[in-house]
Amino acid sequence: MLSALIWLPILGVLLVGLLPRSVPPKTARVTTLIVLGLAFIWSVVLGSQFDVVNPDAQFQEVLPWIERLGLTYRLGLDGLSLPLVILNSLLTWFAVYSTEESIQRPRLYYILVLMLNAGVAGAFLAENLLLFFLFYEVELIPLYFLIAIWGGAQRGYAATKFLIYTALSSILILMAFLGAVWLGGGTSFEYDTIHTQGLPLVAQIILLGILLVGFGIKIPLVPFHTWLPDAHVEASTPISVLLAGVLLKLGTYGLLRFGLGLFPEAWAVLAPGLATWAVVSVLYGALTAIAQTDMKKMVAYSSIGHMGYILLAAAAATPLSILATVFQMVSHGLISALLFLLVGVVYQKPKPAISPSCGGY
Amino acid sequence: MQEFLLQASWWIPCYGLIGAVLTLPWLTGYIRRTGPRPAAYINLVMTVVALIHGAIAFQASLHLDPQPIVLHWFKAADLDLSFMIDISPVSLGAAELVTGMSILAQIFALGYMEKDWGLARFFALMGFFEGAMSGLALSDSLFLSYALLEILTLSTYLLVGFWYAQPLVVTAARDAFLTKRVGDVLLLMGVVALATIAGTLNFPDLYEWAETATLSPTVSTLLGLALIAGPTGKCAQFPLHLWLDEAMEGPNPASILRNSVVVGCGAYILIKLQPILILSPVASIAIVVLGTMTAIGASLVALAQIDIKRTLSHSTSAYLGLVFISIGMQWTNFALLLLFAHAIAKALQFMSVGSIIITSSTQDITEMGGLWSRMPATTTAYVVGSAGLVGLLPLGGFWALREGVNAFWYDNPWLVAVLLLVNLLTAVNLTRVFRLVFLGSPHAKTRRAPEVGWAMAVPMVSLIVLTLLVPAMLQHLYLLPDWAYLNQTAVLLLALSGLIGCVIGASIRLTRVWSRPIQAPLKFLQDLLAYDFYVEQLYRVSVVWGVNVLSKASAWFDRYVVDGIVNFVGLASILSGESLKYSISGQSQIYVLTILLGISLLGILLIYPMW
């Protein structure tokens, strides 16, 4: 059941990719929209079938893959991933819908968006650390191209910056994952078989610290954030929507799932520091946003501030605050997506996109 | 039926919202053939429905015993957000006042906004506005009230910014929004703190909690100050008062509501919060001090304004200051009475002002004159509205202020003085405006000034009648004092202060054409009052400057330090790679030499500690 969310867009990739050249670009667009629409409907259906009372992962699917590495194709859905999966398919649909019909190289564009959608869905659904990591990496490549090909004047700089930052984040995450499993003497990377409680506290704190920096780049938290404003300014509007709406959530999702989930003891130790970090991030993002003259940068910095709230709530780590993080993730996803769409509308007007001169809009 | 409508009272705010939603096809331009008028009628009908529903529920609430309504909204973990709806004669009466004012303002708007292309948008916003306000009247939960205050902030922003093509309107809307946000954010802090400390946000539970609560003085002071910040912003009290003056750039029908009931909403919340505020003596004192400062300051500032809407808006601030004083002194009856009387009288004045503006196309009172014979209904409206506001003739304002004078008579004589002073200054100002606008010889813009059409005249005349009937309403509700127990000295003093004010206002020398006094001190005084005691400039060089500098600094830090380091790392790696590339020469002796040097370096490092 869950595999459909990943493989349906991949099927769409094949469909769009194999369309004959004579077919007008509009067909590629409509095909993409239909495929993504089906994925969205399917995610909502899964949501309606979801058993709210059951705290375990549901609709599980297990296929063996590389057993010796501890890598299995194992998917599951729980209360943390369900809203984000729905958000992902919804926002991708809107991003494609808001794309200009006259876009250059339409088929490549739609293929990359579909791949992005599949990668993010896979990351949210994975129940195996290595599988998560694979999907986390898969999602980078299409996004890099989406910024580097359809971006603004400085797109090469922004895309490379994004890629280097996020690759660094991936390496750190992989380090932490391998450490968490291998230091404990485990061989399986399934979420539920990993026990880090046996590790000394110092080791746990170090692993958590690596994970925090890794996901902190993705969220992004100050001071690892400078790739975000550049990427947003250079990316086209639909890609900004996806970046702010969905991709940043991978960072907070990972923080909650792995940071808090795998290292609860270390988390408790670091919590005051994390809360401080979050507040600094919030204030810094908000203050810097005030001084921006480019509307996209302004939204990007306020987005940094808003993502800081999620870390703040996660630092408290009470049942209510964890719920609040999910709420904030979804609401930030919707709000920032809307804001970027609005900025996109203003950008299309013949005035320069400098906010002080936009008084009349 | 009555019982059912009473229990369904929570529908009253929904009608306005439904009206706003139904306007959408016209607002978005989906329906163009009919013009925007049907949207206006839909909203009017919804308001009438709300009014009728409210009237029946109000009647029923007088003799039936209502069940408390609790709407459960959200329950998760240890958080239970439930909204309580208060069904009592007071809350239903307040909602009725809101819908009544809304319907009059909307009919007025039919005339005032007749040729405006954004008519549908305006009526949708009015419906939204009305829904939020009547919801606020009925809400019995601090959380719901907070949310509705936020909706009010938003709709104020949208209504003030209605004519958004004008730069002054844009800044006015922005200032109104940001000023209210300052209050709202502080209030939110108080709400969250209260939710944590008291464990509930429904007013009845909060009152119960407040009776037994013991807080440390610091906590209670901070809590109290946070809670009064929201109403301070809403009621345009010092130091969050500048927005109301600027908000007069918005359309007049919205100003009618803003000056009568919207500012009252803030005070209404404060009245609701009053039993909790008792916990903090500092907060109570703060309310009284803020109220006194605003009441006297705004009355003085009003004297020097030449914009007809702005001078009246400052008087609104002043009256709300009096309401603040009474809440701080725990005389909520006086506060409610004054709010009621002020709402009706001020709405009438603003209708009259709207008629003048639409006819003369100016808001500058020095350009007016001689309107009394040309616009009799408007003149009557202004006179009756002023009489209803000032404590001179036995209309609403008089009885309300008398209640106040009576309340403070024995314990706080200095507050009686404040009350009388504000009454006097208001009388001076209203007489001054009356002389400039209605008396004297007509000017260029007031020479051809016909009376306004029925759409504006009907609500105006109805409100004249209503204002005159306020004492009868009070009598009916047993709110008038018994003649036998009337404090005659107090009544006499009050009437005297009003009379002296009128006499001063009638006798001061008024220069019609804008001219400056010759004496330097007088000139300074005039400027001081005309520019709101330079508070705006003060904010500009303090708060605005501070935030600006801080954000610029943080943006600079971000751009050149944080991002600078990142770019430096990138540049360093590229440079080192680029320069190392020149070592590729293809000559094996150089490679061997490099290897040799490297190994020797390693060897030296290895044996270095042994030396």
Side-chain angles (χ1 to χ4, degrees):
Chain A
M1 285 174 91
L2 294 179
S3 289
L5 287 174
I6 302 169
W7 297 105
L8 203 62
I10 298 295
L11 195 71
V13 168
L14 290 176
L15 265 179
V16 176
L18 293 177
L19 280 176
R21 276 200 180 280
S22 56
V23 171
K26 184 145 195 194
T27 319
R29 176 188 165 89
V30 173
T31 316
T32 314
L33 282 176
I34 291 174
V35 169
L36 288 173
L38 286 176
F40 171 65
I41 292 170
W42 186 240
S43 66
V44 173
V45 170
L46 284 176
S48 66
Q49 301 285 315
F50 187 79
D51 181 10
V52 186
V53 204
N54 183 357
D56 297 326
Q58 297 173 35
F59 313 110
Q60 285 200 339
E61 290 175 20
V62 188
L63 277 178
W65 194 356
I66 307 174
E67 298 274 2
R68 289 180 53 198
L69 260 184
L71 171 63
T72 51
Y73 178 81
R74 183 167 154 186
L75 306 180
L77 192 67
D78 65 0
L80 179 58
S81 43
L82 174 70
L84 296 173
V85 165
I86 297 178
L87 185 75
N88 174 34
S89 39
L90 178 75
L91 287 184
T92 317
W93 193 90
F94 273 107
V96 171
Y97 184 77
S98 66
T99 304
E100 286 174 60
E101 289 194 19
S102 57
I103 192 165
Q104 299 282 309
R105 300 197 220 178
R107 290 200 301 183
L108 181 60
Y109 177 84
Y110 294 124
I111 287 173
L112 289 174
V113 173
L114 284 167
M115 279 170 66
L116 185 65
N117 179 272
V120 175
F124 285 141
L125 292 174
E127 287 276 296
N128 183 299
L129 288 180
L130 289 182
L131 192 65
F132 171 86
F133 178 74
L134 279 180
F135 279 118
Y136 189 82
E137 288 286 282
V138 160
E139 142 272 318
L140 285 186
I141 300 152
L143 194 61
Y144 169 75
F145 284 115
L146 283 168
I147 298 173
I149 299 179
W150 288 273
Q154 292 267 308
R155 57 184 183 271
Y157 170 73
T160 311
K161 202 171 180 182
F162 161 76
L163 193 69
I164 292 174
Y165 257 108
T166 333
L168 198 65
S169 135
S170 305
I171 292 167
L172 292 172
I173 292 166
L174 188 63
M175 272 167 68
F177 283 175
L178 297 180
V181 174
W182 289 349
L183 286 181
T187 48
S188 163
F189 284 88
E190 312 290 317
Y191 292 170
D192 45 8
T193 58
I194 300 165
H195 296 291
T196 57
Q197 273 79 350
L199 293 178
L201 193 59
V202 180
Q204 285 191 43
I205 290 177
I206 291 171
L207 287 174
L208 180 58
I210 296 172
L211 211 55
L212 277 172
V213 176
F215 285 119
I217 290 172
K218 191 79 183 172
I219 291 176
L221 293 168
V222 174
F224 310 121
H225 64 281
T226 50
W227 64 272
L228 185 81
D230 285 323
H232 271 306
V233 171
E234 298 308 323
S236 59
T237 304
I239 306 310
S240 279
V241 168
L242 285 180
L243 186 56
V246 184
L247 286 159
L248 302 189
K249 306 300 170 298
L250 276 175
T252 40
Y253 172 81
L255 209 59
L256 286 172
R257 174 77 76 196
F258 308 115
L260 184 58
L262 296 181
F263 307 102
E265 290 172 14
W267 188 274
V269 175
L270 292 187
L274 289 181
T276 318
W277 190 8
V279 171
V280 168
S281 205
V282 169
L283 290 178
Y284 185 92
L287 267 178
T288 316
I290 294 176
Q292 300 304 318
T293 47
D294 184 309
M295 282 176 84
K296 272 194 166 178
K297 269 201 170 170
M298 192 184 284
V299 180
Y301 276 107
S302 85
S303 182
I304 294 170
H306 284 167
M307 293 303 281
Y309 286 111
I310 300 177
L311 181 62
L312 185 60
T318 63
L320 189 60
S321 78
I322 298 298
L323 195 74
T325 60
V326 179
F327 265 78
Q328 173 71 358
M329 278 193 243
V330 174
S331 74
H332 175 268
L334 297 175
I335 291 169
S336 58
L338 262 175
L339 280 175
F340 276 112
L341 284 176
L342 284 173
V343 174
V345 172
V346 177
Y347 264 45
Q348 281 184 346
K349 304 268 176 191
K351 261 192 177 180
I354 309 294
S355 56
S357 66
C358 285
Y361 288 116
Chain B
M1 185 64 188
Q2 267 194 336
E3 185 101 11
F4 170 73
L5 283 179
L6 185 65
Q7 283 306 319
S9 299
W10 55 274
W11 261 93
I12 296 174
C14 299
Y15 296 120
L17 295 178
I18 293 171
V21 170
L22 288 180
T23 320
L24 281 176
W26 286 274
L27 194 154
T28 52
Y30 185 71
I31 301 179
R32 289 171 194 271
R33 277 168 56 89
T34 57
R37 285 230 150 194
Y41 298 141
I42 289 176
N43 272 290
L44 264 173
V45 169
M46 292 319 286
T47 312
V48 170
V49 172
L51 190 74
I52 294 171
H53 186 161
I56 298 173
F58 179 67
Q59 278 298 330
S61 74
L62 288 177
H63 55 89
L64 285 175
D65 193 29
Q67 307 288 319
I69 303 178
V70 180
L71 306 173
H72 287 279
W73 183 50
F74 184 79
K75 195 164 170 31
D78 49 349
L79 180 75
D80 181 11
L81 284 182
S82 55
F83 298 150
M84 255 182 144
I85 305 291
D86 178 27
I87 304 185
S88 64
V90 175
S91 65
L92 283 168
E96 196 64 357
L97 182 71
V98 168
T99 39
M101 284 300 152
S102 171
I103 201 165
L104 290 174
Q106 285 185 40
I107 298 174
F108 191 81
L110 273 185
Y112 191 86
M113 310 286 289
E114 193 180 2
K115 290 172 186 165
D116 201 289
W117 58 273
L119 189 75
R121 181 161 53 99
F122 181 78
F123 272 85
L125 290 176
M126 289 289 266
F128 191 54
F129 213 24
E130 176 211 314
M133 278 187 288
S134 47
L136 208 51
L138 291 178
S139 150
D140 207 9
S141 144
L142 184 57
F143 185 80
L144 183 59
S145 296
Y146 172 75
L148 290 165
L149 280 182
E150 293 274 359
I151 295 181
L152 269 187
T153 306
L154 173 66
S155 48
T156 303
Y157 173 74
L158 293 172
L159 275 170
V160 173
F162 183 72
W163 288 315
Y164 52 79
Q166 304 169 19
L168 255 178
V169 168
V170 174
T171 52
R174 183 199 64 196
D175 290 355
F177 188 74
L178 291 181
T179 314
K180 287 187 173 197
R181 285 299 301 166
V182 172
D184 285 346
V185 168
L186 288 170
L187 176 62
L188 180 61
M189 290 180 193
V191 170
V192 172
L194 206 55
T196 315
I197 302 171
T200 173
L201 282 177
N202 289 332
F203 282 117
D205 306 333
L206 281 177
Y207 298 157
E208 223 168 86
W209 166 80
E211 275 169 20
T212 54
T214 45
L215 294 177
S216 76
T218 333
V219 174
S220 67
T221 305
L222 286 176
L223 183 67
L225 289 178
L227 289 177
I228 63 174
T232 304
K234 274 286 158 323
C235 298
Q237 299 295 299
F238 180 84
L240 300 176
H241 60 295
L242 287 174
W243 67 271
L244 186 66
D245 172 45
E246 278 188 82
M248 293 303 117
E249 295 293 335
N252 192 65
S255 302
I256 296 175
L257 284 188
R258 194 169 310 116
N259 280 284
S260 59
V261 276
V262 177
V263 288
C265 281
Y268 191 75
I269 294 293
L270 203 59
I271 294 172
K272 284 257 183 194
L273 282 173
Q274 196 257 338
I276 303 161
L277 293 176
I278 299 177
L279 289 175
S280 155
V282 178
S284 298
I285 295 169
I287 299 178
V288 177
V289 170
L290 288 183
T292 312
M293 283 172 77
T294 317
I296 297 175
S299 306
L300 286 171
V301 168
L303 285 176
Q305 301 296 316
I306 53 161
D307 183 310
I308 190 165
K309 278 174 89 179
R310 291 190 180 213
T311 180
L312 290 185
S313 85
H314 281 294
S315 122
T316 303
S317 278
Y319 267 72
L320 265 295
L322 295 183
V323 173
F324 259 55
I325 295 175
S326 63
I327 297 171
M329 300 307 296
Q330 287 139 38
W331 286 96
T332 43
N333 279 349
F334 165 45
L336 281 171
L337 202 61
L338 189 63
L339 274 181
F340 174 67
H342 171 262
I344 290 184
K346 213 25 147 317
L348 182 56
Q349 280 195 321
F350 264 87
M351 282 192 183
S352 154
V353 164
S355 307
I356 295 166
I357 293 172
I358 198 92
T359 313
S360 65
S361 302
T362 179
Q363 303 195 14
D364 188 339
I365 48 176
T366 58
E367 293 182 343
M368 301 179 188
L371 278 176
W372 68 272
S373 59
R374 290 168 172 76
M375 305 177 76
T378 306
T379 314
T380 320
Y382 182 86
V383 172
V384 172
S386 307
L389 206 58
V390 177
L392 176 60
L393 301 176
L395 289 174
F398 175 81
W399 291 114
L401 289 173
R402 187 217 67 89
E403 180 93 13
V405 172
N406 219 26
F408 304 136
W409 190 256
Y410 293 107
D411 299 332
N412 307 85
W414 66 276
L415 284 176
V416 174
V418 171
L419 235 61
L420 296 180
L421 181 65
V422 170
N423 188 32
L424 188 142
L425 290 173
T426 311
V428 172
N429 185 36
L430 293 178
T431 319
R432 173 189 78 104
V433 174
F434 180 76
R435 278 176 60 204
L436 281 171
V437 175
F438 295 101
L439 302 184
S441 55
H443 276 60
K445 290 188 176 169
T446 53
R447 200 155 285 139
R448 289 170 188 275
E451 186 56 273
V452 288
W454 68 268
M456 293 165 79
V458 167
M460 202 157 67
V461 174
S462 327
L463 206 53
I464 292 177
V465 176
L466 213 62
T467 311
L468 292 173
L469 284 180
V470 165
M473 281 186 242
L474 298 180
Q475 178 82 45
H476 186 71
L477 296 171
Y478 307 106
L479 288 174
L480 286 194
D482 212 334
W483 280 110
Y485 300 107
L486 208 57
N487 184 343
Q488 279 161 1
T489 336
V491 172
L492 209 66
L493 269 177
L494 183 65
L496 206 63
S497 73
L499 191 67
I500 295 173
C502 286
V503 170
I504 296 176
S507 57
I508 47 172
R509 204 172 135 265
L510 290 176
T511 41
R512 278 194 179 278
V513 183
W514 185 239
S515 66
R516 314 269 294 139
I518 302 164
Q519 303 94 323
L522 210 57
K523 200 164 144 184
F524 171 73
L525 189 70
Q526 189 183 34
D527 280 350
L528 186 70
L529 295 182
Y531 295 111
D532 302 345
F533 293 106
Y534 297 112
V535 175
E536 197 188 345
Q537 279 80 350
L538 194 70
Y539 287 169
R540 216 172 278 284
V541 297
S542 55
V543 181
V544 176
W545 183 82
V547 170
N548 210 359
V549 164
L550 208 59
S551 65
K552 285 259 165 57
S554 126
W556 179 88
F557 182 78
D558 191 67
R559 179 99 175 66
Y560 293 102
V561 179
V562 181
D563 208 25
I565 291 173
V566 173
N567 285 334
F568 176 75
V569 170
L571 196 68
S573 40
I574 287 176
L575 272 184
S576 49
E578 288 284 330
S579 44
L580 277 178
K581 117 181 145 185
Y582 294 108
S583 64
I584 310 297
S585 58
Q587 292 169 319
S588 50
Q589 56 267 44
I590 295 196
Y591 294 162
V592 172
L593 183 67
T594 315
I595 293 169
L596 199 68
L597 280 176
I599 289 176
S600 343
L601 203 69
L602 270 179
I604 292 169
L605 280 176
L606 274 176
I607 51 174
Y608 181 76
M610 294 175 193
W611 282 354

